[in-house]
Amino acid sequence: MAHDEIFLKKHEDKRLRQGHLWVFSNEIDTKRSPLEQFAAGDLVQVKTDEGKVMGTAYFNPQSLICARLLSRKGNLKCGVNFFKERLTNALALREKLFSKPYYRLVYGESDGLPGLVIDRFGSVLSVQITTAGIELRKDSLIAALIELFSPTAIVLKNDNSQRQLEGLDLESFVAHGELPEPLIIEENGAKFKIDILGGQKTGWFYDHRASRALLATMATNQRVLDLFSYTGAWGIPAALGGATEVVCVDASEGALALAAENAALNAVENKMQFVRSDVFDFLKQARQDGQLYDIIVLDPPALIKRKKDFKQGYEAYRRLNQLALQVLAKNGVLISASCSYHLSAENLHEILRSSGRHIDRHLTFFACGGQGGDHPIDPAIPETAYLKTFFCTVSASL
């Protein structure tokens, strides 16, 4: 059966022709395609104003991004076989990159599954659905996951603000099987206990894997400060890499408790301290106390979630980096990261340049990092590239 049609306004097909998958509500010819005739999650054929088929999308008339293409073909059937094909393609890349089943299995648009993120934690799958189009087809998705991976458990991690924009509930739950307790994953030779239901996002952040491995290689005999440490993903590799002391700072008591468990799991608890504090307050107090660290990891959560928040968020990144530089030892290393899509690499570059000059330090970049290969970037969709990391060495002014 043919899907209903939506027609784009004249000249509004350019982005789709270039490879993007999104259609915004103001790009639709609402006289030919009244939005109220569609229900959230409906499959539609997207057509140009001249009637050429651009592909099959799912639709939500209440969302700014009202259509997301699933295929360049018209009248796509989106059932179990569709998900099996996309999942198999995604798996092929991950199995080239990783020898063990610990990675992001699906990264939304880059894997041809907009609105879907899946992290693989061994035999457990953490699924984050952020659109009505995928939500409506989650039974087919789960059936495909069971058939392909025979997971011990599938968790639907629904506590995401993007779901509110799509009119979806925010309750997370185990949709299949039973969660093992404890659930332990591996990354770069370290082990971590994770909490999917109570943790942030899918329960873990695989994206910094390569940068954390690089940190471990330079941590020998260093005093390390891990800011916004969460459950120890940076700090524990530093301790395993030979750091003499690692101070983890986070505002979440639960995250720090899990970080302490992870330190014990890796037998580095004697090297680590866990401080519950606002990071701004901690840095100000450390400066007053004359504390200095050889390596500082500054990996905050997204401080610019919407474009309109740019000015305020930019200032927060600037203040954080400037404060961190003030407690960095001579010839120390600052690892500065941002996961805010709206803060470009050029923006972070400028923040670091100006912060170094403000406190009269000679700052250079010796390495740059970004999201791992299990977060592949679609060159036609700039929104799939979000993570940027600068490794900086900082010395006295020339």
Side-chain angles (χ1 to χ4, degrees), residues 26-303:
N26 62 1
E27 296 170 339
I28 293 176
D29 183 342
T30 54
K31 291 182 179 180
R32 297 176 73 182
S33 315
L35 300 187
E36 60 270 16
Q37 75 182 30
F38 301 101
D42 280 355
L43 288 179
V44 297
Q45 282 198 86
V46 180
K47 292 189 171 183
T48 68
D49 68 306
E50 297 175 341
K52 181 177 179 179
V53 175
M54 298 300 294
T56 302
Y58 59 72
F59 198 82
N60 188 344
Q62 306 303 319
S63 178
L64 175 62
I65 307 172
C66 64
R68 300 175 194 247
L69 256 64
L70 292 170
S71 173
R72 300 286 168 180
K73 301 174 183 177
N75 292 318
L76 172 79
K77 293 182 179 180
C78 188
V80 175
N81 288 336
F82 165 79
F83 284 110
K84 283 174 61 179
E85 180 183 1
R86 294 292 164 90
L87 291 167
T88 300
N89 290 342
L91 179 63
L93 171 63
R94 279 66 181 184
E95 290 188 331
K96 289 182 176 72
L97 299 173
F98 307 108
S99 60
K100 294 184 178 181
Y102 304 102
Y103 43 72
R104 175 148 293 181
L105 174 63
V106 171
Y107 179 51
E109 282 78 357
S110 293
D111 288 304
L113 290 166
L116 178 65
V117 165
I118 302 176
D119 278 351
R120 189 176 187 185
F121 304 127
S123 65
V124 174
L125 300 173
S126 180
V127 177
Q128 192 172 70
I129 296 170
T130 55
T131 58
I134 298 295
E135 179 76 13
L136 195 63
R137 294 162 183 85
K138 66 183 178 185
D139 289 345
S140 294
L141 168 64
I142 290 171
L145 290 171
I146 292 171
E147 187 173 339
L148 289 175
F149 299 98
S150 302
T152 300
I154 297 174
V155 179
L156 293 184
K157 193 71 165 66
N158 291 339
D159 55 345
N160 186 292
S161 60
Q162 293 179 42
R163 288 177 61 86
Q164 287 182 309
L165 301 177
E166 295 268 330
L168 303 175
D169 69 82
L170 302 182
E171 181 186 0
S172 297
F173 60 96
V174 179
H176 167 77
E178 186 174 341
L179 269 176
E181 179 55 42
L183 176 56
I184 296 174
I185 68 165
E186 297 180 31
E187 182 182 289
N188 297 326
K191 294 182 179 180
F192 298 91
K193 179 182 176 183
I194 66 170
D195 178 7
I196 298 180
L197 289 171
Q200 298 176 22
K201 301 292 185 179
T202 60
W204 183 253
F205 298 91
Y206 280 125
D207 49 3
H208 271 302
R209 183 194 321 245
S211 291
R212 292 193 281 250
L214 179 56
L215 163 64
T217 67
M218 62 182 75
T220 303
N221 297 324
Q222 302 291 287
R223 189 184 192 208
V224 177
L225 175 61
D226 181 8
L227 301 169
F228 302 99
S229 63
Y230 192 42
T231 57
W234 289 90
I236 288 168
L240 288 170
T244 55
E245 179 185 3
V246 179
V247 180
C248 293
V249 181
D250 201 280
S252 169
E253 184 175 1
L256 290 174
L258 197 51
E261 289 187 52
N262 287 331
L265 186 63
N266 289 277
V268 292
E269 65 270 32
N270 61 325
K271 296 183 175 184
M272 303 190 70
Q273 299 178 37
F274 302 95
V275 180
R276 186 185 181 191
S277 173
D278 173 84
V279 168
F280 287 96
D281 293 340
F282 178 89
L283 287 172
K284 290 173 185 176
Q285 189 62 50
R287 182 182 61 188
Q288 291 177 13
D289 295 344
Q291 294 291 326
L292 295 175
Y293 301 88
D294 302 304
I295 299 176
I296 299 177
V297 179
L298 182 55
D299 179 24
L303 301 177

Side-chain angles (χ1 to χ4, degrees), residues 325 328 331-332 352-353 355-357 359-365 392-398:
L325 286 171
L328 190 65
N331 296 319
L352 290 163
R353 182 207 64 79
S355 296
R357 293 316 312 142
I359 63 170
D360 196 26
R361 296 288 189 276
H362 181 57
L363 181 151
T364 58
F365 302 149
C392 316
T393 182
V394 183
S395 59
S397 183
L398 297 177

